[in-house]
Amino acid sequence: MVRRMGRPRLSRGVAGRFWAGVREGLSTEEAAAAVGVSWHSGRRWIVQRGGVMPPAGVGSGSRSLSLGEREQIGLWHAEEVGGREIARRLGRSPSTISRELRRLPAPGNRYRSPPYLPSAAQADADTKATRAKPAKLVTNLRLRAVVEERLAKNFSPEQIAGTLRKDFPEDPEMWVSHEAIYQSLYVQGRGGLKRELTRNLRTGRAIRKPRRSGQQRRARITGMINIAERPATVEDRAIPGDWEGDLILGSTASASAIGTLVERVSGFVMLLHLPGDHTAETVAEAMITKISELPEQLRRSVTWDQGAEMARHAQITAATGIDIYFCDPHSPWQRGSNENTNGLLRQYLPKGTDLSRWGPGYLDMIAAELNARPRKRHNWATPAEVLDQLLSNPSDPPGVASTA
């Protein structure tokens, strides 16, 4: 008989060490080389899990019996050492050893103790460990329908998980974690949700990737006031009317951009239409127009990075009465709300595209949809609801209306 030669199967422990390397910050190539496999094998593991790392410790042998331990069990079992003694020698639970010795009963030999084969037991353990378990989104069709409906409305998995608990407080079967939603979308074999729904996520990616920090820049601006001089009430998010702003840039060829303004307390978003260019003059004109639409109590301050587009900040302040503060260089976290919102906006305004084709009406539609999305920090109330509550009842903390 001719023996078929195929690709040797890599043990689960090798994959576990590969993911441990990725978790420590190694690239796919570096992690694969560290465990002695090809880049293609590492890439295959990444694709199979949709870029989602398994839990720490999976495949490492810390919880599961290793092949070496199984070989010891086989030797001691052949010497008729008892299960409790084997457990003591290995530092394992007696029930673990008992289950292991019952792993592979010989067919038709139910009443005699079968021989224990370590290699066969290891192969059986690897197969069962990688077998797809029925996920909640596979078995609960009602839950799956609700999740898919909300994904189609561009809700994030975290927003879906939060609103499910709010909408079905007495029905735990209608609860699911945001990570379970991501796993169902990305990991092969998890099933449940339609893979094409990844297009409705903020990134639209078919493979999950870690978040990266945004770009940083720039040069100093004449007459700017540093963020260190900003009143403490802005940092405390105690009073509405303080905003964070920035530009999101389009393709290099188009030199297009859109301005973003985010209210710090509520997360309410406004978008600036910048036709043709994003020079200081164009940005100043767009900001004056947009800020002038706000009621007086919402014109307290704007915090921006040190971009040349804000060279006419004094003109904006003179026309609107709003104070403008500038972040330290290379410090995007000082505009955390704005950075997060700009990431959300990339779902609608992808990188590398010509942003000048979108008119003010479309930008207002995007802002309205973002302002109608529930937010975790507001107990799943929307930014529009929170801002409306703050304007009508300024003494109430954000999110009170959502819990009443």
Side-chain angles (χ1 to χ4, degrees):
M1 183 179 67
V2 178
R3 183 180 179 183
R4 294 184 63 185
M5 300 297 292
R7 180 171 56 193
R9 181 174 181 175
L10 297 172
S11 74
R12 189 167 170 244
V14 174
R17 294 195 299 275
F18 167 81
W19 283 110
V22 173
R23 188 173 287 103
E24 292 172 0
L26 298 180
S27 68
T28 303
E29 296 89 340
E30 293 168 339
V35 299
V37 301
S38 69
W39 175 84
H40 296 287
S41 294
R43 179 64 180 172
R44 185 172 69 254
W45 286 327
I46 294 284
V47 171
Q48 285 173 347
R49 293 195 59 85
V52 180
M53 287 191 291
V58 169
S60 65
S62 59
R63 293 179 58 191
S64 305
L65 290 169
S66 67
L67 178 58
E69 287 178 307
R70 289 190 166 96
E71 289 174 343
Q72 286 291 341
I73 292 171
L75 289 173
W76 289 327
H77 182 59
E79 296 171 359
E80 299 184 352
V81 176
R84 288 187 176 275
E85 176 60 19
I86 293 175
R88 188 192 65 78
R89 294 180 184 182
L90 291 178
R92 294 282 186 174
S93 166
S95 61
T96 298
I97 305 303
S98 177
R99 283 193 302 270
E100 184 65 22
L101 292 173
R102 296 196 307 268
R103 181 181 288 279
L104 296 174
N109 190 18
R110 296 175 59 188
Y111 303 106
R112 287 191 294 113
S113 177
Y116 178 78
L117 304 175
S119 59
Q122 182 68 44
D124 181 61
D126 287 344
T127 299
K128 289 180 178 177
T130 56
R131 182 187 302 161
K133 279 79 173 176
K136 196 171 187 180
L137 288 166
V138 173
T139 57
N140 190 330
L141 301 183
R142 179 176 169 230
L143 173 61
R144 186 202 310 175
V146 174
V147 171
E148 289 183 341
E149 177 186 359
R150 296 184 186 189
L151 281 171
K153 292 180 179 179
N154 294 325
F155 280 29
S156 72
E158 187 175 36
Q159 289 166 345
I160 294 170
T163 53
L164 283 171
R165 287 179 174 262
K166 179 180 177 182
D167 296 341
F168 302 95
E170 305 298 329
D171 188 0
E173 287 301 309
M174 290 298 292
W175 301 351
V176 67
S177 70
H178 66 279
E179 186 61 28
I181 297 174
Y182 278 120
Q183 296 252 349
S184 189
L185 286 169
Y186 283 120
V187 182
Q188 290 182 9
R190 293 293 291 175
L193 300 176
K194 301 172 184 175
R195 190 67 177 268
E196 57 265 27
L197 285 170
T198 53
R199 294 196 298 264
N200 293 82
L201 298 177
R202 174 176 62 83
T203 62
R205 296 189 183 111
I207 295 180
R208 199 175 180 186
K209 295 183 179 179
R211 182 179 298 177
R212 298 179 181 176
S213 59
Q215 61 177 6
Q216 299 109 22
R217 27 187 213 262
R218 326 245 215 268
R220 288 184 60 84
I221 300 171
T222 303
M224 70 178 187
I225 304 174
N226 189 266
I227 191 173
E229 301 179 45
R230 196 174 66 175
T233 53
V234 180
E235 185 66 27
D236 295 341
R237 302 179 190 261
I239 305 172
D242 297 303
W243 302 76
E244 297 176 4
D246 194 17
L247 299 182
I248 55 175
L249 303 179
S251 63
T252 304
S254 67
S256 57
I258 289 171
T260 65
L261 286 169
V262 185
E263 204 277 317
R264 282 174 55 84
V265 179
S266 64
F268 190 87
V269 181
M270 296 192 302
L271 299 181
L272 308 178
H273 181 236
L274 304 174
D277 59 60
H278 50 280
T279 61
E281 182 177 359
T282 302
V283 171
E285 182 179 345
M287 285 191 67
I288 291 170
T289 300
K290 207 69 175 177
I291 292 172
S292 298
E293 299 173 0
L294 295 171
E296 192 70 28
Q297 62 265 44
L298 290 181
R299 300 188 208 171
R300 289 170 45 83
S301 74
V302 172
T303 302
W304 206 281
D305 69 359
Q306 297 183 27
E309 68 275 5
M310 289 299 289
R312 299 202 176 188
H313 61 93
Q315 178 184 340
I316 299 171
T317 298
T320 63
I322 200 165
D323 296 324
I324 299 178
Y325 301 94
F326 291 86
C327 298
D328 296 323
H330 313 300
S331 303
W333 60 87
Q334 294 178 342
R335 297 177 297 99
S337 297
N338 189 246
E339 286 285 305
N340 179 63
T341 300
N342 287 351
L344 298 176
L345 285 166
R346 284 302 187 182
Q347 182 175 356
Y348 303 89
L349 307 165
K351 292 182 180 180
T353 60
D354 182 2
L355 301 182
S356 64
R357 59 179 176 156
W358 306 118
Y362 181 71
L363 298 184
D364 288 344
M365 183 275 291
I366 294 175
E369 184 166 313
L370 284 182
N371 292 330
R373 285 196 194 183
R375 300 295 174 88
K376 181 180 181 179
R377 68 181 176 117
H378 296 319
N379 197 21
W380 307 111
T382 68
E385 291 170 342
V386 172
L387 189 61
D388 182 67
Q389 173 199 350
L390 289 169
L391 292 176
S392 57
N393 299 294
S395 61
D396 289 340
V400 167
S402 67
T403 59

